[in-house]
Amino acid sequence: MNFDKDELLIKDALNSIETPGYKIDINIRKETNRYKGTRRCIALAIALTMFVSVGGMGATIPSFNRLISKVQDEIGNYLYPIQLTSEDKGIKTEVVAAYNDDDMAVIYINIQDLEGNRVDGSTDFYNYSFSNGDTFGAELVNYDESTKTATMRVMINGGKKLSNKDIVFTLNSFISGGVELEDIDTGINISDFYTEEQKFCTLKEETSSGSGGADYKKLYRNGIEKILPLEDKNIAVPGVDFMHITNMGVIDGEFHIQTKWTGTGIDDHGFFFINDENGEEVPYRSVYFGISKEGRLLQSDDRDNMGNYINGYECQEFIYDLKSIDINKSKITAYMKSSKNYIEGNWKTKFKLKAIDEKKEYKCNIEEDNIKINKMILTPLGLTMYGQETYQYDNVPKMEVVLNMKNGTVKKLDSEMWDDEKGILLKCVGDEIIKVDEVQSISINGKTIE
């Protein structure tokens, strides 16, 4: 498992988002360390459905026309063609179309193999970037076997940095040839390992090469995380030959699963899930770390022969609080994925985004849990809130955002936070395009704004 340091992203915080047309739970997986560097968005994904027929914009633009035939009518109304290409090593990328408001954009990008079979139904971007805005995962939404073309949907946000600005998309590598194993029954009886307290090693925050999980608030209490001893018990996971479990046990009343990634795939990854007696998933936190050739825990000052710092990702430890569940009625399942192909190249495209004009502004004065909101803007993509905040990572305010429609129905939006120099606090998105003129009012934690 050879994750780039800045490419361990969102899955843990975003455990499952499902749309009628495409399931993306677990698909977004590049997980950034929450506690190192500039504070970023905790987790943000847009879940807008593909695969329904739409009318005929862009009839003279083949790739745009193909895309428009696969998206919802509501999305098709806002998509505009870009249709710019880049080619290297017999592989062509094409920024096909996009739709965006002032601070968020959804971009559709095709990648096509003109010479072989390097692009398939498991294709995923690996090293890629946009010159403006922050990227929150590329999602495969379609694969055309006849043309060997994969269509990716990428969401970026960046405040006023996006609207009517030149954007450069750069792709340096992608992966394919993926083997995906879901709902693996590990056959492990938790009670066999949930016994006496184990000895532990101390993992310092600065030594860890990544972390995440829905239970992330418990990470690095007092700057450390207790992990199991580095004893390789070599416990196999059925059907998986690129990783194994090295240790399991209890520390401070919490259950730990320690793993080691042994495959050669650059993006080998996976997760373990424990459900309680009611079938509810138990939240976990996880940490990544490395082991030296001598079998000791890598430290933050370890260097290789060239003098470069060593960041080990070959080990990952999952930590669960099982004290309130019946472990005899629970089981451990797993999701694993490995990609055999890693293709490098240089694909670069420059284009411009133009924001949707349809919007409605709300003046307000809302104070909730160390956050002050003085303005909101509603667009077809979502609701953006502006104001001030003083919260920290371990004290993120919970915001329940609901759109009250004129026909009496309600639409709940997911709220996700990030910092922005323009004062943007939250971007709230739903599972479909918002019809702005059909919104009667907005409720924020039960308070209604009209």
Side-chain angles (χ1 to χ4, degrees), residues 379-417:
T379 75
L381 274 75
L383 180 70
T384 305
M385 299 184 187
Y386 298 80
Q388 298 176 327
E389 50 76 19
T390 59
Y391 65 84
Q392 301 296 322
Y393 259 128
D394 58 354
N395 187 31
V396 177
K398 183 178 181 180
M399 304 296 287
E400 185 172 302
V401 182
V402 175
L403 303 182
N404 304 303
M405 310 305 289
K406 292 179 180 179
N407 63 4
T409 62
V410 297
K411 296 183 183 296
K412 186 176 180 180
L413 303 183
D414 294 318
S415 61
E416 306 296 342
M417 298 187 180

Side-chain angles (χ1 to χ4, degrees), residues 326-340:
D326 185 347
I327 61 172
N328 294 311
K329 295 181 180 179
S330 302
K331 68 176 183 178
I332 302 174
T333 59
Y335 166 91
M336 299 288 157
K337 185 172 182 180
S338 178
S339 298
K340 66 179 182 180

Side-chain angles (χ1 to χ4, degrees), residues 303-330:
R303 297 172 183 261
D304 60 21
N305 294 333
M306 302 296 293
N308 299 314
Y309 286 107
I310 303 172
N311 292 305
Y313 294 97
E314 66 268 26
C315 295
Q316 183 178 10
E317 189 150 333
F318 300 83
I319 307 168
Y320 311 78
D321 185 348
L322 305 182
K323 292 188 288 290
S324 63
I325 74 170
D326 185 347
I327 61 172
N328 294 311
K329 295 181 180 179
S330 302

Side-chain angles (χ1 to χ4, degrees), residues 36 203-209 288-290 297-300:
K36 296 180 181 178
L203 178 68
K204 295 180 181 179
E205 181 179 347
E206 61 268 22
T207 301
S208 172
S209 47
Y288 294 88
F289 55 92
L297 189 66
L298 284 176
Q299 301 300 313
S300 57

Side-chain angles (χ1 to χ4, degrees), residues 52 59 115 145 178-179 195 208 235 267 293 362 380 414 420 425:
V52 270
E115 298 177 352
E145 177 71 34
V179 176
T195 53
S208 172
I235 301 170
D267 194 38
K293 293 180 180 179
Y362 297 80
D414 294 318
D420 184 271
L425 300 179

